[in-house]
Amino acid sequence: MPDDKAHADTLLLALTSLLKSEHIGIVNRLNVLKKNVFLELMLKKDTTKNIDLSIEMHKNQLIIIRMPEVIFLIPEERDIATTYWMSKVMLSLQVRASRIPDRSKRTKVNLVVDEIYEVAHTEQYLTFKLYQVAKFVMKPIISCHYINQLTHMRQELRNANTSYILVAGRDKDNFKELKEELYPIVAEDLMNRISYTSFGLYPL
């Protein structure tokens, strides 16, 4: 981020979201941070070599945030790290908006997140931010096997003018979730599609 304070504020925001868990206490969450040597090193590292996401996301390029499973072994560690990154992306969008007030001059950002339901607090955080992303010229693209896996985001997506792509051969539960929107298409139409094809459902 642009400075140390912004970096610290972003991490604090991510941790605050996680510490609100009803099932795992504050002490346990902090212990998770201390047990993972990579997270501990991140907390201690200075910010002199940090990239400024608010600038990089405006360059019309692919940015990949990789989190190897061998480093983040347990779900709580992955949740902490992904919530941190998600909050950092949102803060960068806000910084960019203050730097470039004219929305038409901002590069559109497509944020692709695979299987976000595996990190519950990250899903909660992005759900809370869904109503804001359009004004920051950002579009989240969420992939999952079943729509009902999205515990927190599912209803918000319905209210957010969302487009859906249903891949051929998907479970009928996905069809049932969008049955009204897909009419007059029936479940068999989806199940019998040729491999590697899909149905697209786009808002008018």
Side-chain angles (χ1 to χ4, degrees), residues 77-90:
E77 292 174 352
R78 292 193 288 273
D79 209 354
I80 288 172
T82 52
T83 304
Y84 165 75
W85 277 111
M86 190 64 69
S87 59
K88 192 165 186 175
V89 168
M90 293 305 303

Side-chain angles (χ1 to χ4, degrees), residues 92-134:
S92 298
L93 288 167
Q94 294 172 13
V95 171
R96 184 181 70 157
S98 65
R99 184 184 296 131
I100 310 173
D102 187 348
R103 288 176 57 177
S104 65
K105 294 182 179 179
R106 297 181 216 152
T107 301
K108 183 176 182 179
V109 175
N110 291 316
L111 177 67
V112 182
V113 186
D114 183 34
E115 298 182 348
I116 194 172
Y117 57 85
E118 292 188 355
V119 279
H121 289 91
T122 308
E123 184 188 341
Q124 282 181 305
Y125 178 79
L126 184 56
T127 301
F128 178 71
K129 294 291 184 179
L130 275 179
Y131 74 97
Q132 294 182 337
V133 295

